[in-house]
Amino acid sequence: MTLSIRNQLPGTVTTITPGEVMATVGIRLTGGQNLTAAITLEAVTELGLAPGSAVRALVKSTEVALATGPVEGLSIRNQLPGTVTDLTTGGAMASVKLSVDGGSLTAAVTRAAVEDLALTIGSRAVALIKSTEVSLATA
């Protein structure tokens, strides 16, 4: 299957914390970072997830926010540091590609955000991803 989702990060399930309808799934990415996905219990069962399961974390580029450093006092669980490797700006929007340990991430943000953050190729940035915006796939 080919997907339009640019951000596909391989990893391994480390924990599953079930709730009434949803579960949080802890993932150790191949680059060593930890990521949390919030998915339905039905999806956990259908995917056959358990600690040790190989997964791909899928995140649309429009769901990736950027900061110039780690952010405290924020409910967003996933913060992946990286370096800007590509930057394409248009009239209103920009595509920012980050190299992170074990892969890369693309963020679609406004041109104004790129300017306000003073992002350039080589800049350090942190990708911020809500756990509810992380989908999981198995091989």
Side-chain angles (χ1 to χ4, degrees):
M1 172 188 299
T2 303
L3 299 172
S4 65
I5 298 175
R6 295 186 214 175
N7 299 315
Q8 301 184 26
L9 304 168
T12 304
V13 173
T14 56
T15 61
I16 299 173
T17 306
E20 294 297 316
V21 176
M22 302 284 291
T24 57
V25 179
I27 302 146
R28 172 71 81 169
L29 300 177
T30 57
Q33 314 92 321
N34 292 311
L35 192 73
T36 300
I39 63 174
T40 65
L41 283 175
E42 183 179 8
V44 169
T45 300
E46 288 177 358
L47 293 171
L49 297 181
S53 297
V55 293
R56 281 198 173 275
L58 310 172
V59 183
K60 291 175 60 175
S61 60
T62 53
E63 301 304 330
V64 178
L66 297 174
T68 55
V71 182
E72 293 185 23
L74 190 65
S75 67
I76 296 176
R77 305 284 20 126
N78 301 305
Q79 297 191 33
L80 301 176
T83 303
V84 176
T85 58
D86 191 41
L87 180 60
T88 305
T89 56
M93 296 297 293
S95 175
V96 181
K97 190 170 192 173
L98 291 180
S99 172
V100 297
D101 287 344
S104 66
L105 280 171
T106 300
V109 297
T110 65
R111 178 181 176 163
V114 169
E115 292 169 357
D116 289 349
L117 297 173
L119 295 177
T120 60
I121 292 176
S123 296
R124 296 289 294 161
V126 176
L128 306 170
I129 307 164
K130 290 178 63 172
S131 60
T132 53
E133 299 304 331
V134 178
S135 296
L136 298 178
T138 55

